[in-house]
């Protein structure tokens, strides 16, 4: 293990900060998504409507309680804290020329608090928090104007925090958009919101993705010019895709699915589209509007490391109605009979993390950063007022063991590990509080009740020891 390994935890601004309309903050896409539950998708409303419940509006009130929470992270020994900068705190509508000073000052104070304890901020610029105005007025990232607005936002952040933040990522889980039939995936990633069924959702998704990739690459170049010491990475939602059987069709289906799901990483790292995707666009008649300079920007704005989330693997089977082996996640994914699943039906596969690390090493030859991994579970306070979450410890232990094997046995270069939801927060996918990931219990429930009191769980002390021993004692 590296001596400077970045052990820590990860969150996103919109899932814990709350204070959704405080100090000049504008409305983001996260602010118009209602609470839901497993099996029921969050509703995307036309603005903030009376009578609707929007859990992100309060989160866990980190905006006012961050000093208390950072102190708890410091007690665990965090070396890094991954969070995001809420775009609408800096540019409330997204297209202003002048940033909001109150928003900038909040993150100055937050990063100073981290650094006071020797905790490195790891900052994502766009983590499902696009200004709603950019969706309503421009149609989201399918409009090239958003390249300009994102780059302006990134530049302001790089300039302001150039001496406080060393580690950055541009777009969170940008490749989740392979699920282009899913409104949540498109709305949160690139601000796409379809009012008509006759729009070509797939083409719109690839257009928006192209614009995001160009925006990312341009931001990387600017960040490096502002401070060459900055490390700026991409961020992928990584779920290795296994073939259901050893039948050649299933093998090929899994290979083609991996190509399609992770081409975003190829562009981020290599600075160009892989040939298999260009052929796919040609075959499907997908017309991406690009300017000649875009490809120079992509080539010159490649990332320094690959950040990724890992929660589970996917298993896929070939189908008779899919002769070209096109990846259709909502249709072709099947259950893996060898794996158990969480309460939210996410299959638990620690060895899949080692597989993922090796795959990413083989393809990209860059340092890797596990910036999300964790178990969402129902946590109950015991009679002693403490959550005894052995199930979470077991999950994290098995995944960290797999990571260590990849480092020590396979030679994979891993920078750090920041587990997801290090303090209980709002679930992005369902808007639930009861889907808990944290080492710290927050007294907050789905109906909005709760005192917001913080209490360390058993996993808090377990992870503290993991960090103290640099992973040698699990």
């Amino acid at each position: 293990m590296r001596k400077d390994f970045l052990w820590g935890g990860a969150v996103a601004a919109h899932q814990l900060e709350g204070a959704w309309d405080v100090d000049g903050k504008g409305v983001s896409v996260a602010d118009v998504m209602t609470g839901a539950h497993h099996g029921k998708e969050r509703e995307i409303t036309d603005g903030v409507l009376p009578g609707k419940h929007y859990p992100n509006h309060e989160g866990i009130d980190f905006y006012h309680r961050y000093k208390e929470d950072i102190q708890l992270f410091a007690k665990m020994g965090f070396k890094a804290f991954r969070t995001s900068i809420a775009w609408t705190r800096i540019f409330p509508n997204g297209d202003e020329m002048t940033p909001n000073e109150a928003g900038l000052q909040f993150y100055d104070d937050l990063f100073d608090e981290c650094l006071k304890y020797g905790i490195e901020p790891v900052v994502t610029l766009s983590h499902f928090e696009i200004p709603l105005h950019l969706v309503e007025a421009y149609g989201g990232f399918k409009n090239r104007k958003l390249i300009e607005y994102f780059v302006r936002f990134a530049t302001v952040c790089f300039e302001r925090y150039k001496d406080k933040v060393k580690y950055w990522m541009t777009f969170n889980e940008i490749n989740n958009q392979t699920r282009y039939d899913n409104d949540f995936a498109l709305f949160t990633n690139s601000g796409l919101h379809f009012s008509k069924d006759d729009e070509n959702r797939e083409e719109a998704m690839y257009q928006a993705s192209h614009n995001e990739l160009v925006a990312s690459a341009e931001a990387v170049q600017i960040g490096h010019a502002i401070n060459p010491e900055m490390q700026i990475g991409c961020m992928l939602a990584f779920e290795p895709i296994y073939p259901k059987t050893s039948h050649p069709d299933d093998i090929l289906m899994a290979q083609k699915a991996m190509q399609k799901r992770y081409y975003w990483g190829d562009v981020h790292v290599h600075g160009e589209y892989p040939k298999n995707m260009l052929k796919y666009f040609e075959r499907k008649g997908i017309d991406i509007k690009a300017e000649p300079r875009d490809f120079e920007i992509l080539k010159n704005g490649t990332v320094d490391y690959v950040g990724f989330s890992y929660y589970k693997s996917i298993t896929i089977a070939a189908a008779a109605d899919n002769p070209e082996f096109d990846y259709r996640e909502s249709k072709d994914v099947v259950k893996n009979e060898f794996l158990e699943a969480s309460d939210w039906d996410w299959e638990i596969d620690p060895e899949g993390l080692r597989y993922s690390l090796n795959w990413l090493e083989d393809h990209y030859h860059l340092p890797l950063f596990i910036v999300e991994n964790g178990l969402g579970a129902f946590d109950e306070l015991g009679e002693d007022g403490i959550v005894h979450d052995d199930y979470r410890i077991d999950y994290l232990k098995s995944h960290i063991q797999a990571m260590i094997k990849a480092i020590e046995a396979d030679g994979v270069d891993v920078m750090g590990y920041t587990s997801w939801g290090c303090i209980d927060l709002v679930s992005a996918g369902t808007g639930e509080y009861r889907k808990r990931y944290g080492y710290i219990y927050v007294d907050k429930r789905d109906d909005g009740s709760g005192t917001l009191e913080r209490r360390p769980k058993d996993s808090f002390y377990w992870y503290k020891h993991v960090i103290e021993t640099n992973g040698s004692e699990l």
Side-chain angles (χ1 to χ4, degrees):
M1 298 286 290
R2 292 181 177 207
K3 291 182 179 179
D4 61 349
F5 192 82
L6 294 170
W7 294 101
V11 299
H14 69 96
Q15 291 172 255
L16 85 166
E17 283 182 3
W20 75 283
D21 59 353
V22 169
D23 294 334
K25 181 185 174 297
V27 181
S28 80
V29 294
D31 293 323
V32 295
M33 295 192 299
T34 65
H37 54 77
H38 181 46
K40 178 185 176 183
E41 289 194 358
R42 304 180 72 174
E43 180 186 357
I44 299 168
T45 60
D46 186 14
V48 176
L49 303 180
K52 295 287 187 179
H53 175 51
Y54 301 99
N56 297 67
H57 287 190
E58 186 176 8
I60 59 166
D61 197 30
F62 180 79
Y63 190 82
H64 297 109
R65 298 168 179 255
Y66 70 88
K67 289 187 178 181
E68 171 190 353
D69 293 337
I70 298 300
Q71 187 175 45
L72 287 169
F73 300 156
K75 285 182 178 179
M76 270 190 283
F78 276 22
K79 310 299 182 187
F81 173 53
R82 181 197 173 210
T83 189
S84 59
I85 293 175
W87 191 340
T88 53
R89 290 204 191 279
I90 312 305
F91 290 100
N93 288 321
D95 58 359
E96 298 94 340
M97 292 299 296
T98 305
N100 173 34
E101 176 58 29
L104 289 167
Q105 186 60 51
F106 169 72
Y107 291 106
D108 264 321
D109 296 341
L110 172 59
F111 300 150
D112 285 343
E113 195 69 15
C114 291
L115 294 169
K116 181 172 82 175
Y117 294 104
I119 298 172
E120 290 278 1
V122 178
V123 176
T124 311
L125 287 165
S126 183
H127 193 141
F128 305 166
E129 295 158 327
I130 296 169
L132 185 64
H133 174 71
L134 297 184
V135 176
E136 295 175 337
Y138 300 93
F141 263 97
K142 65 183 178 183
N143 190 322
R144 286 189 64 90
K145 288 292 290 183
L146 266 71
I147 298 176
E148 172 189 344
Y149 300 143
F150 175 82
V151 170
R152 183 183 301 157
F153 164 58
T155 301
V156 166
C157 293
F158 289 149
E159 286 280 7
R160 181 75 171 223
Y161 310 119
K162 62 181 181 291
D163 298 320
K164 298 183 180 183
V165 178
K166 179 179 179 181
Y167 302 100
W168 298 85
M169 286 172 284
T170 51
F171 290 91
N172 182 70
E173 295 188 333
I174 188 171
N175 61 311
N176 269 348
Q177 298 175 96
T178 46
R179 295 179 292 155
Y180 56 84
D181 59 349
N182 181 282
D183 290 338
F184 174 83
L186 296 185
F187 187 64
T188 55
N189 273 268
S190 53
L192 296 185
H193 195 40
F194 296 95
S195 58
K196 298 184 298 183
D197 291 336
D198 60 350
E199 290 187 71
N200 186 333
R201 294 170 67 103
E202 185 178 20
E203 184 171 82
M205 179 273 285
Y206 282 119
Q207 181 66 64
S209 294
H210 174 78
N211 294 339
E212 287 176 308
L213 289 163
V214 172
S216 173
E218 191 168 347
V220 169
Q221 292 179 69
I222 291 168
H224 285 157
I226 290 170
N227 182 354
E229 297 301 311
M230 284 180 182
Q231 295 290 297
I232 308 173
C234 61
M235 200 293 200
L236 303 173
F238 205 85
E239 299 174 337
I241 301 173
Y242 303 150
K244 182 182 180 181
T245 72
S246 57
H247 190 288
D249 285 355
D250 285 350
I251 301 286
L252 182 58
M253 183 70 233
Q255 181 185 49
K256 299 303 293 182
M258 291 286 280
Q259 288 175 350
K260 194 174 175 187
R261 200 173 204 282
Y262 300 113
Y263 91 89
W264 285 268
D266 297 339
V267 181
H268 276 303
V269 173
H270 302 308
E272 60 186 23
Y273 281 83
K275 292 177 181 176
N276 54 65
M277 287 306 296
L278 295 176
K279 282 293 185 182
Y280 177 78
F281 297 154
E282 180 183 321
R283 175 167 59 82
K284 297 280 282 189
I286 294 171
D287 181 22
I288 297 175
K289 301 295 190 296
E291 296 182 0
R293 184 169 170 268
D294 289 354
F295 301 100
E296 179 184 348
I297 293 171
L298 293 175
K299 202 67 178 174
N300 293 328
T302 55
V303 295
D304 301 310
Y305 67 90
V306 175
F308 69 100
S309 61
Y310 177 83
Y311 296 97
K312 59 188 177 72
S313 54
I314 290 176
T315 303
I316 199 166
D321 67 343
N322 190 10
E324 298 291 346
F325 299 93
D326 292 334
Y327 178 51
R328 308 171 302 182
E329 183 172 320
S330 61
K331 189 170 184 179
D332 297 322
V333 171
V334 298
K335 180 176 174 54
N336 189 321
E337 62 184 282
F338 298 102
L339 299 176
E340 296 182 355
S342 74
D343 291 327
W344 276 263
D345 295 326
W346 289 17
E347 291 174 344
I348 298 171
D349 180 15
E351 290 305 317
L353 178 55
R354 183 178 179 186
Y355 177 95
S356 299
L357 287 163
N358 276 273
W359 191 96
L360 289 161
E361 169 72 24
D362 290 347
H363 281 76
Y364 298 137
H365 308 294
L366 285 178
L368 305 176
F369 197 161
I370 304 167
V371 295
E372 291 185 29
N373 173 239
L375 177 68
F378 297 109
D379 289 343
E380 298 291 341
L381 292 172
E383 292 182 2
D384 55 1
I386 297 171
V387 174
H388 300 292
D389 54 344
D390 290 347
Y391 43 88
R392 179 169 292 108
I393 293 171
D394 290 344
Y395 175 97
L396 294 168
K397 181 187 295 185
S398 62
H399 284 75
I400 291 172
Q401 286 172 334
M403 175 188 72
I404 291 171
K405 286 179 185 176
I407 294 169
E408 296 183 351
D410 306 328
V412 179
D413 183 10
V414 184
M415 299 164 53
Y417 174 91
T418 55
S419 56
W420 176 252
C422 48
I423 183 170
D424 290 347
L425 37 63
V426 178
S427 168
T430 63
E432 293 172 293
Y433 285 101
R434 63 177 181 164
K435 187 182 184 184
R436 299 176 181 273
Y437 284 88
Y439 303 110
I440 300 161
Y441 180 86
V442 178
D443 182 28
K444 188 69 173 176
R445 286 169 284 283
D446 289 342
D447 63 4
S449 64
T451 65
L452 295 173
E453 179 189 4
R454 275 69 161 149
R455 298 187 186 192
K457 306 174 188 177
D458 283 353
S459 57
F460 179 102
Y461 303 101
W462 171 81
Y463 194 48
K464 180 178 187 291
H465 187 69
V466 171
I467 297 173
E468 284 175 348
T469 63
N470 199 24
S472 65
E473 296 181 15
L474 302 179

